[in-house]
Amino acid sequence: ACYVAKEEGRNRIRCYRDSDPSLSRPRQELEWVAHTQLAIAEDRLLLYAQQIVALDGSDRLQYEVLVRLRDREGRVHAPGMFLPAMERYGQGMAVDRYVMDAVCRHFARHPAQLARVELCHVNVSAQSIADPAFHDHVNLLLDRHPGMAQRLCFEITETAVIANLDDACRFIDGMRARGCCIALDDFGSGLSSFGYLKRLAVDILKIDGAFIRDLAKGESDLALVRSMSQMGQALGKVTIAEWVESEAVMAQLREVGIGYVQGYAVHVPCPLEALAAVDEPAVEPA
């Protein structure tokens, strides 16, 4: 009831009733927070990966790490079920720390993949960007795992950057000083980011999938994507198009100069361990 009162403008009274539909969403979200906290404690968050493919035909290995939740019954849940709730109730950093720790453990187990991967993209929430404790945790992990920094790309959303510009700049500068790359995720979703690009030392622009999804259906999105591509090239940024789901869209993106694509047309997300298996050396039979 407290959270609903805040959402409705604060300075008001809300009474809790089980039958009130406006209270059902916060209740469900709090349940997901509890489920996720328990999953973290019981090591039931799973790392998946989706490859990012270069449109110039090169076979450099690059992918984004995605997170899933396996409940106690063995069902696997997509991040949209639990991540928004965790971030809404100030628990985003708990997931980010878990993922960072798990990524480091993964590469420690699979040094061959660390040697081959060009970039491993890891998402960072607005809460983690703003928290010095998260910066310290990442720096400690990088100290413990030499060679990781040059393989890491932290993805931060455009909305998180705009809402916390000073914090974002500190995070970006600190991580780039360690040798990590930075990607501005969902680029173009707010359009206000165009004015911030000169100040932000980001390496990669990930164009919001909302512009890509219907690219083949009209000229307006294509014109916007072309302008983003041209701006990225002018500023020396790598461009990645998200939500690419057809060969026709890939051809359009190649034509306007986009560098990389990500989506179901090139790779369906799979367990990160499955990608590592490709790099494991063959074992000779005894």
Side-chain angles (χ1 to χ4, degrees):
C2 177
Y3 281 110
V4 172
K6 288 179 179 179
E7 284 182 359
E8 292 178 346
R10 300 176 181 266
N11 197 28
R12 66 190 63 215
I13 294 173
R14 256 298 190 167
C15 296
Y16 178 82
R17 296 186 183 88
D18 283 335
S19 59
D20 189 339
S22 66
L23 296 172
S24 62
R25 181 179 58 81
R27 186 168 60 244
Q28 290 168 358
E29 288 180 335
L30 284 168
E31 289 172 355
W32 273 113
V33 169
H35 290 324
T36 308
Q37 289 173 332
L38 188 59
I40 289 173
E42 296 179 348
D43 199 24
R44 288 188 283 103
L45 291 188
L46 312 174
L47 296 190
Y48 275 55
Q50 185 174 40
Q51 291 193 47
I52 298 168
V53 177
L55 284 176
D56 64 4
S58 62
D59 61 352
R60 297 186 295 271
L61 178 62
Q62 189 171 162
Y63 52 77
E64 178 182 353
V65 172
L66 309 170
V67 65
R68 304 285 189 267
L69 185 151
R70 185 180 63 233
D71 63 26
R72 285 181 162 181
E73 286 71 44
R75 295 171 300 217
V76 176
H77 301 275
M81 298 298 294
F82 60 92
L83 276 184
M86 290 292 282
E87 293 183 4
R88 183 179 184 83
Y89 291 97
Q91 299 296 306
M93 192 171 73
V95 177
D96 293 344
R97 288 180 66 135
Y98 181 97
V99 171
M100 276 301 305
D101 291 347
V103 166
C104 289
R105 290 195 302 269
H106 170 81
F107 282 125
R109 290 194 307 270
H110 303 287
Q113 185 175 116
L114 180 62
R116 190 169 83 86
V117 69
E118 180 181 45
L119 278 180
C120 168
H121 293 238
V122 178
N123 292 281
V124 181
S125 68
Q127 294 156 14
S128 295
I129 290 170
D131 195 328
F134 181 76
H135 302 199
D136 293 341
H137 185 70
V138 173
N139 280 317
L140 184 61
L141 288 174
L142 296 179
D143 291 339
R144 290 175 177 171
H145 299 274
M148 276 280 296
Q150 290 73 22
R151 301 290 192 261
L152 282 176
C153 176
F154 291 103
E155 293 196 10
I156 55 180
T157 64
E158 176 187 275
T159 50
V161 168
I162 294 170
N164 308 279
L165 186 59
D166 291 337
D167 291 331
C169 287
R170 278 191 291 271
F171 179 80
I172 290 169
D173 293 342
M175 292 301 102
R176 292 187 84 244
R178 294 300 305 260
C180 304
C181 287
I182 303 292
L184 189 60
D185 198 11
D186 298 337
F187 180 71
S189 59
L191 294 179
S192 54
S193 62
F194 285 71
Y196 290 107
L197 277 181
K198 286 185 179 180
R199 183 174 172 184
L200 294 173
V202 300
D203 305 282
I204 298 169
L205 304 179
K206 292 192 76 176
I207 299 172
D208 193 312
F211 296 103
I212 308 301
R213 180 176 49 201
D214 299 323
L215 205 60
K217 297 181 181 178
E219 291 295 321
S220 59
D221 283 340
L222 184 61
L224 288 169
V225 172
R226 181 182 286 110
S227 70
M228 293 180 203
S229 174
Q230 292 170 344
M231 183 176 58
Q233 292 175 34
L235 295 175
K237 315 293 186 188
V238 173
T239 50
I240 300 175
E242 302 178 292
W243 298 8
V244 178
E245 297 182 354
S246 72
E247 291 288 342
V249 167
M250 267 201 289
Q252 290 177 299
L253 294 169
R254 189 179 289 108
E255 180 187 341
V256 300
I258 296 297
Y260 292 77
V261 293
Q262 179 181 1
Y264 277 59
V266 293
H267 185 240
V268 176
C270 68
L272 183 55
E273 288 290 335
L275 283 185
V278 177
D279 296 305
E280 296 297 337
V283 177
E284 295 292 334

